[in-house]
Amino acid sequence: MKRIKYRKVRKVQPNYYEYTGAYKNDPVEMQLFTYDEQGCKEYQKVHLDVIQKECTSPQNQNAIKWLNIHGLHDVELIKQIGELLHVESFIIGDILNTSRRTRIEELGNDILFFSVKSVLPEEEEGSMATEQISFLLKDNMIISFQEKKSDYFSHIRERIRTGVGIIRKKKNDYLLYLMLDAIMENFFVTIEKYEDRIEALNIQAKTSQRADFIADVEKAKEDLNFLKRSITPIREALFNIKNDEDDQDYDVIESTSYTFFTRLHQKSLELLDQIEYDMNSLDSASNFYYSAQGQRMNEIMKTLTIFSVVFMPMTFVVGVYGMNFDHIPELHFKNGYFYALGLMVTLALIMIIYFKRKKWF
């Protein structure tokens, strides 16, 4: 799992941009969709001059433009896109700085900025890939900034191409809803994979005696806490949208679209509830493991105690007849050795029968 770390030393000069993420090797690619109810046009590996032409074309004035960018390490390109939309420099800096917290912010009355963390499980158990995805909405255009190439939005592209559903009848705020919904679904997929791991840990808690079991439980808790920290800001941002429905504080979002963002807020609550349940399940596994270990230790101590008590009379007999006195009458018995052995065995049997009746073992 890639951890989010804030850099202790960062240059803060005006108009200074720096990509702080880890995905710096893949080439930057851009895809552009221009669509309305009548049809759509798609451009793969598009260049900035084509984007400018499509965005300024009079015939595309009412069409929805979706520009998706894979890769943020080309700082100059991201800067040029920001200038194309007349976006403040600090927003471009926040897009490039992947350690920033999820948030939503309206810039003036015509630009909406939304930045979220997205996660997906990796093949390696107990590992997840994290990525910051940012969105800019202005007029009829939406730009999505992804750190690397992925298929988060493949089904959305297919719906645009085929015209399935209402996507080509809606504005760019509905497209934002669909992409946020896809990101939320990735959280569900990640949590589901971790629940399989948690179920295995709960089973192991009843049978395992591994010394590193608790370390596995704590690692799972740490990952769930990371997911919780990623989802909580999304819930807060969606809560702000939901609560501002009556006031219409976000001019970029149409009144008919607030219902969709309310659904996303409900999903975020479901995710947090599920994480809380999984955390409690891990706590139960830890408690059961400690209880089982304590019970196992009690059984061992009980067995050792019984053996000690059974052999205690024998030790007493051996100690008495092992004293170095000159006058111990039994020492001169012809069969004294066998009498002593019989006495020890008899005492041991009596104590075993007594313990058995008391149901101490």
Side-chain angles (χ1 to χ4, degrees):
M1 178 181 66
K2 185 189 75 173
R3 300 193 177 280
I4 300 173
K5 295 183 178 179
Y6 289 91
R7 301 186 60 177
K8 295 182 179 180
V9 178
R10 249 185 124 248
K11 297 180 181 180
V12 292
Q13 297 93 332
N15 300 324
Y16 176 80
Y17 304 105
E18 178 185 4
Y19 172 59
T20 61
Y23 306 101
K24 300 180 180 180
N25 298 323
D26 298 335
V28 178
E29 293 184 4
M30 297 189 294
Q31 304 87 37
L32 176 66
F33 278 88
T34 303
Y35 64 89
D36 53 22
E37 289 190 57
Q38 282 68 43
C40 77
K41 291 187 292 184
E42 179 180 355
Y43 302 89
Q44 295 290 337
K45 298 183 179 180
V46 68
H47 296 286
L48 195 59
D49 54 346
V50 178
I51 297 171
Q52 290 177 321
K53 179 181 178 181
E54 286 294 317
C55 293
T56 57
S57 174
Q59 63 182 5
N60 293 333
Q61 183 177 359
N62 296 323
I64 304 299
K65 278 81 68 176
W66 173 26
L67 175 63
N68 187 68
I69 302 170
H70 289 137
L72 301 180
H73 53 275
D74 190 342
V75 175
E76 188 61 30
L77 175 63
I78 304 301
K79 179 182 176 181
Q80 292 174 3
I81 293 173
E83 293 173 348
L84 177 65
L85 293 181
H86 305 289
V87 177
E88 297 289 344
S89 60
F90 71 89
I91 292 295
I92 301 301
D94 287 346
I95 292 173
L96 295 171
N97 186 1
T98 59
S99 63
R100 292 300 183 189
R101 192 174 189 264
T102 292
R103 80 177 197 275
I104 184 171
E105 184 173 350
E106 191 170 40
L107 311 174
N109 295 324
D110 60 345
I111 298 179
L112 184 70
F113 173 66
F114 205 134
S115 177
V116 299
K117 292 291 187 297
S118 179
V119 301
L120 267 179
E122 294 183 330
E123 293 184 3
E124 181 183 354
E125 184 178 356
S127 179
M128 68 180 87
T130 64
E131 177 186 357
Q132 176 169 293
I133 303 179
S134 302
F135 304 96
L136 280 174
L137 281 75
K138 181 178 181 180
D139 299 328
N140 290 328
M141 188 171 187
I142 180 170
I143 305 178
S144 53
F145 300 87
Q146 297 181 245
E147 291 190 68
K148 60 186 179 67
K149 193 169 185 179
S150 57
D151 58 352
Y152 293 162
F153 309 135
S154 297
H155 64 291
I156 300 176
R157 296 186 182 92
E158 191 61 29
R159 289 173 66 177
I160 294 175
R161 295 185 187 108
T162 59
V164 174
I166 62 174
I167 186 169
R168 295 215 302 222
K169 300 177 183 178
K170 289 287 188 177
K171 298 294 184 181
N172 54 356
D173 55 352
Y174 182 74
L175 182 56
L176 172 64
Y177 154 72
L178 289 179
M179 289 191 281
L180 290 175
D181 185 62
I183 292 173
M184 301 285 277
E185 288 298 324
N186 290 338
F187 278 104
F188 279 108
V189 171
T190 305
I191 292 176
E192 183 178 356
K193 183 171 182 180
Y194 270 85
E195 284 180 341
D196 294 338
R197 181 181 170 197
I198 292 170
E199 184 178 356
L201 288 173
N202 276 308
I203 294 173
Q204 292 179 31
K206 299 176 175 64
T207 58
S208 177
Q209 300 182 26
R210 294 187 297 112
D212 59 347
F213 173 80
I214 294 298
D216 292 343
V217 172
E218 291 302 317
K219 178 61 169 59
K221 285 184 180 180
E222 181 182 347
D223 293 343
L224 288 177
N225 273 321
F226 176 82
L227 289 173
K228 186 175 181 179
R229 292 197 307 271
S230 300
I231 298 170
T232 300
I234 299 177
R235 181 203 62 186
E236 294 172 358
L238 294 171
F239 179 78
N240 291 335
I241 296 178
K242 182 174 74 74
N243 276 10
D244 290 332
E245 179 177 0
D246 296 333
D247 300 332
Q248 293 288 303
D249 283 355
Y250 296 109
D251 296 327
V252 180
I253 300 177
E254 293 188 331
S255 58
T256 56
S257 298
Y258 277 97
T259 303
F260 302 117
F261 290 96
T262 301
R263 294 179 183 176
L264 289 180
H265 178 257
Q266 186 62 35
K267 277 192 174 183
S268 67
L269 295 178
E270 292 175 7
L271 286 168
L272 291 173
D273 287 344
Q274 192 59 46
I275 289 176
E276 195 66 30
Y277 174 82
D278 293 337
M279 293 285 286
N280 292 334
S281 181
L282 287 173
D283 286 337
S284 298
S286 298
N287 294 336
F288 190 94
Y289 177 79
Y290 283 124
S291 298
Q293 291 291 86
Q295 181 65 24
R296 191 175 296 111
M297 181 62 66
N298 290 338
E299 291 294 328
I300 294 173
M301 294 302 297
K302 184 175 71 173
T303 302
L304 294 176
T305 302
I306 290 174
F307 272 100
S308 299
V309 173
V310 167
F311 281 93
M312 192 179 297
M314 301 182 187
T315 305
F316 174 75
V317 173
V318 171
V320 169
Y321 290 103
M323 292 186 292
N324 296 320
F325 291 107
D326 292 332
H327 302 290
I328 300 179
E330 293 86 355
L331 293 178
H332 302 287
F333 288 175
K334 180 179 179 181
N335 297 316
Y337 170 73
F338 300 104
Y339 293 154
L341 287 180
L343 177 60
M344 288 188 286
V345 172
T346 302
L347 290 173
L349 290 174
I350 291 173
M351 299 194 72
I352 291 174
I353 293 172
Y354 178 78
F355 294 156
K356 193 70 174 177
R357 287 186 177 180
K358 288 289 186 179
K359 298 182 178 179
W360 289 353
F361 67 92

